[in-house]
């Protein structure tokens, strides 16, 4: 039985049913009874395995196919009428040509299978900034993940209402998970997403990157708001005032970790607290009353990187995974039917099933350098599990943003932190971001590439226009605009070791930023922006880090920066007339300062 009378939903559903020809159509209402039955079915068919219900209640393990472990940027398309509107960074095909290409692949693809109709809401129910999507899928794994990652079920349809046509139409079929026929396709002009031949999170949980970034970035451009690849965290001072920071780092570059950081003793003992609002995506609007920028997290869970997560690096993330969590492509610890991954602890299980499903002696396997968990193995954990979840998590208005951070993995060049001169220069700093690639997407790992605002894989329209949109938001915000900073936790020494301890100690850097926002601390004016005086980064309690180390971490090598500027110029040239002149001028000015 349909859960809505909304004709826009029902007409589209009829068309998609006619195309994919499922044996059954099941509406997902979000009820626990229905979810329980789906979990049991997935366990019975072997699609998922039930983990130790005493240690990990409600937790399941899933393995994807070996060829289907990460986002596929080369097979991700933005389809519009005009190529110009998609720009040089995205793969493009004309809308009707793509539909003509994919329709035969969808024709009858769900024969003998059940189609699940998933209504979901991105953002708190009842928020004016939330948006609704409906995903059609033939995967129970998708249903169970969407339950964790979104507000799924009847509530979403209530949010949409009986007449609205403002919902994103998502069609997903795992088909036969064929790599060569895998397509992740967006039609922003039609609020539509088609995904086929994958069952990996980022390719198939259509509310996440496909909707909340690629489609939403385009909606934000048209409607005057922003959808960004950003965490949102709050820092509460001993008096109870909370400042919120959003931060854009590329995939697997530390958003989940920063969002949930545990303050070092110097701050904890003084009464500071850190609260998580989001770990991956922020939707930001200008409040009509106070003119400030506010952020909501459109998601309801964390699809986080497992390797490296442990009680020391990210206690809060680890605690978030202790119940009702789905683990994908981690190692199955057969000693006690739990899970393991590289970096959880130093004791790989002897009796193990590695992520592709082979039984191994985990100790020996790891000792020989084998990876028991895939480097991009993930947990899907409900946000409500997070011990430091902000009480503003469901605030329909969102939280006011004091500072915006950009950052990436740079072995050299970028200093630990610097502040942009102003909003326009800050947009330049974001546009000039570069970072080493990670296992979150298929392809080479560790190659530095330009990744403006950490949105290279996620901007659903021409990035030249996207830069322009950022500039325009700054004009609207005027002196209410958040201050913009850049950070780099990943500088290495001559042996290739990270110099900065990172993780919780990153708070030392955030505290400097907040002092800057309040006008409480001076900084050194360098050609790239304001850099701290080393003494102003508090290193009390850090054994290996002295003020000299910090000085080193903050150094600005003009030669390296001039080389980097050449890379930025190359990037900008790609956008031709769509490239805002104001940013080209920022680049020229920065080069002039570096040469002076
Ligand atoms: P996506 O979910 O892919 O968007 O990634 P993310 O940005 O949330 O990345 P995440 O926080 O999961 O971090 C990914 C990897 O970076 C993990 O292996 C972490 O251990 C490592 N990492 C995170 N923060 C730091 C840090 O401050 N220093 C160092 N050296 N590594 C870090
Ligand atoms: C990322 O790759 O940035 C992620 C994971 O957050 S995915 O959902 O696969 O995009
Ligand atoms: Mn991400």
């Amino acid at each position: 039985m349909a859960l809505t009378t909304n004709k826009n939903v029902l007409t589209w559903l009829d068309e998609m049913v006619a195309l994919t020809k499922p044996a059954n159509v099941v509406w997902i209402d979000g009820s626990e009874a229905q979810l329980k039955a789906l979990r049991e079915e997935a366990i019975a068919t072997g699609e998922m395995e039930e983990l130790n219900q005493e240690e990990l209640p409600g937790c399941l393990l899933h393995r994807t196919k070996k060829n289907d472990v990460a986002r596929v940027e080369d097979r991700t398309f933005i389809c519009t009428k005009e190529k110009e509107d998609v720009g040089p960074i995205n793969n493009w095909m004309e809308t009707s040509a793509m539909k003509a290409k994919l329709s035969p692949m969808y024709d009858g693809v769900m024969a003998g299978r059940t189609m699940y109709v998933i209504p979901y809401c991105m953002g708190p129910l009842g928020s004016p900034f939330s948006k609704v999507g409906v995903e059609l899928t033939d995967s129970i794994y998708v249903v169970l993940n969407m339950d964790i990652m979104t507000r799924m079920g009847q509530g979403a349809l209530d949010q949409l209402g009986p007449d609205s046509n403002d919902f994103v139409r998502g069609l997903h079929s795992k088909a036969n998970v064929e790599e060569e026929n895998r397509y992740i396709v967006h039609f922003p002009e039609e609020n539509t997403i088609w995904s086929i031949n994958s069952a990996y999170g980022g390719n198939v949980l259509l509310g996440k990157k496909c909707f909340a970034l690629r489609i939403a970035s385009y909606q934000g451009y048209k409607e005057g708001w922003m959808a960004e690849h950003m965490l949102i965290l709050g820092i509460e001072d001993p008096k109870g005032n909370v400042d919120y920071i959003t931060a854009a780092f590329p995939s697997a570059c530390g958003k989940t970790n920063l969002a949930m950081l545990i303050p070092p003793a110097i701050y904890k003992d003084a009464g500071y607290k850190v609260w998580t609002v989001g770990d991956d995506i922020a939707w930001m609007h200008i409040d009509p009353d106070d003119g400030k920028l506010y952020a909501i997290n459109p998601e309801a869970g964390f699809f986080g990187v497992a390797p490296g997560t442990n009680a020391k690096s990210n206690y809060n993330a680890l605690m978030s995974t202790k119940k009702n969590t789905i683990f994908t492509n981690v190692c199955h610890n057969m000693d006690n039917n739990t899970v393991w991954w590289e970096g959880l602890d130093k004791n790989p299980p002897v009796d193990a099933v590695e992520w592709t499903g082979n039984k191994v002696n985990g100790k020996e396997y790891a000792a020989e350098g084998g990876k028991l968990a895939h480097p991009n193995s993930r947990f899907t954990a409900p946000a409500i599990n997070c011990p430091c979840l902000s009480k503003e998590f469901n605030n329909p208005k969102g939280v006011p943003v004091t500072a915006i951070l950009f950052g990436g993995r740079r072995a050299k060049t970028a200093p630990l932190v610097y502040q942009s001169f102003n909003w326009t220069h800050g947009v330049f700093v974001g546009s000039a971001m570069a970072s080493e690639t990670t296992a979150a997407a298929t392809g080479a790992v560790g190659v530095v590439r330009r990744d403006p605002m950490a949105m290279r894989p996620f901007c659903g329209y021409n990035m030249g226009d996207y830069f322009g949109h950022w500039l325009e938001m700054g004009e609207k915000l005027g002196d209410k605009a958040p201050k913009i900073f850049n950070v780099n936790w990943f500088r290495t020494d001559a042996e290739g070791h990270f110099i900065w301890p990172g993780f919780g100690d990153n708070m030392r850097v955030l505290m400097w930023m907040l002092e800057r926002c309040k006008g409480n601390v001076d900084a050194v004016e360098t050609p790239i922006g304001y850099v701290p005086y080393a003494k102003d980064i508090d290193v009390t309690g850090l054994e290996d880090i002295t003020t000299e180390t910090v000085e080193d971490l903050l150094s600005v090598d003009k030669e390296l920066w001039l080389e980097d500027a050449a890379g930025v110029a190359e990037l900008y040239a790609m956008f031709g007339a769509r490239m805002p002149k104001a940013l080209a001028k920022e680049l020229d000015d920065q080069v002039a300062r570096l040469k002076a």
Side-chain angles (χ1 to χ4, degrees), residues 209 229 249-258 279-280 303-305 307-309 378 409 440 489-490 498 500-503 506:
K209 293 308 180 8
H229 193 200
F249 309 154
S251 303
C253 289
K255 290 183 300 301
T256 303
N257 280 273
L258 192 70
D279 82 324
D280 197 48
F303 185 59
V305 177
T309 307
R378 299 224 169 213
R409 281 178 191 263
W489 317 134
F490 299 93
F498 296 124
W500 179 247
F503 301 98
N506 293 332

Side-chain angles (χ1 to χ4, degrees), residues 224-530:
W225 53 281
M226 309 165 93
E228 300 295 335
H229 193 200
M230 289 180 174
L231 67 92
I232 310 165
L233 71 78
I235 298 186
E236 181 177 335
D237 71 16
K239 292 196 190 106
N241 304 314
V242 187
D243 275 297
Y244 294 92
I245 297 176
T246 63
F249 309 154
S251 303
C253 289
K255 290 183 300 301
T256 303
N257 280 273
L258 192 70
M260 299 180 191
L261 77 82
I262 294 190
I266 44 165
Y267 301 117
K268 202 193 293 183
D269 296 348
Y272 285 90
K273 292 179 185 139
V274 168
W275 302 109
T276 307
V277 181
D279 82 324
D280 197 48
I281 299 175
W283 285 359
M284 301 192 289
H285 296 77
I286 299 174
D287 184 82
D289 297 329
D290 69 13
K292 291 186 194 160
L293 191 66
Y294 281 72
I296 63 164
N297 172 10
E299 302 191 280
F302 311 121
F303 185 59
V305 177
T309 307
N310 61 54
K312 192 160 170 284
S313 68
N314 197 345
Y315 173 83
N316 290 313
L318 192 65
M319 287 307 115
S320 305
T321 67
K322 292 297 178 190
K323 60 181 179 198
N324 304 329
T325 291
I326 297 172
F327 297 92
T328 302
N329 293 338
V330 300
C331 168
H332 196 173
N333 179 347
M334 303 305 286
D335 288 337
N336 55 6
N337 190 23
T338 60
V339 290
W340 193 85
W341 49 76
E342 278 66 25
L344 176 66
D345 55 40
K346 295 201 166 70
N347 307 309
V350 175
D351 192 3
V353 176
E354 49 79 271
W355 72 270
T356 68
N358 295 317
K359 262 181 89 59
V360 294
N361 177 321
K363 272 214 166 34
E364 288 172 6
Y365 194 83
E368 284 156 19
K371 293 265 185 254
L372 289 163
H374 187 274
N376 191 41
S377 54
R378 299 224 169 213
F379 52 78
T380 317
I384 45 163
N385 286 0
C386 183
C388 59
L389 190 70
S390 166
K391 66 177 183 345
E392 306 299 332
F393 178 68
N394 282 311
N395 186 334
K397 183 174 172 179
V399 295
V401 180
T402 301
I404 294 176
L405 243 61
F406 295 116
R409 281 178 191 263
R410 297 299 295 270
K412 301 276 172 290
T413 320
L416 181 62
V417 58
Y418 62 100
Q419 181 185 3
S420 65
F421 294 120
N422 51 50
W423 181 273
T424 305
H425 181 246
V427 176
F428 163 75
V429 168
S431 76
M433 267 171 69
S435 191
E436 294 165 19
T437 51
T438 67
T442 55
V445 168
V447 184
V448 176
R449 68 165 181 180
R450 309 239 67 103
D451 190 350
M453 281 89 170
M455 282 289 277
R456 184 190 182 107
F458 308 119
C459 184
Y461 61 107
N462 191 313
M463 203 163 240
D465 296 339
Y466 169 81
F467 295 150
H469 183 47
W470 265 85
L471 293 171
E472 206 171 294
M473 291 296 288
E475 266 164 42
K476 287 188 195 156
L477 284 160
D479 61 5
K480 305 272 178 65
K483 301 284 185 276
I484 300 181
F485 298 82
N486 194 86
V487 297
N488 177 24
W489 317 134
F490 299 93
R491 258 208 200 183
T492 53
D493 61 18
E495 281 85 53
H497 300 123
F498 296 124
I499 304 169
W500 179 247
F503 301 98
D505 289 311
N506 293 332
M507 178 149 173
R508 299 166 191 272
V509 174
L510 302 186
M511 294 301 283
W512 177 79
M513 290 177 204
L514 292 184
E515 290 301 312
R516 284 295 293 170
C517 292
K518 297 186 173 117
N520 290 342
V521 62
D522 278 336
V524 188
E525 189 171 334
T526 77
I528 62 164
Y530 299 114

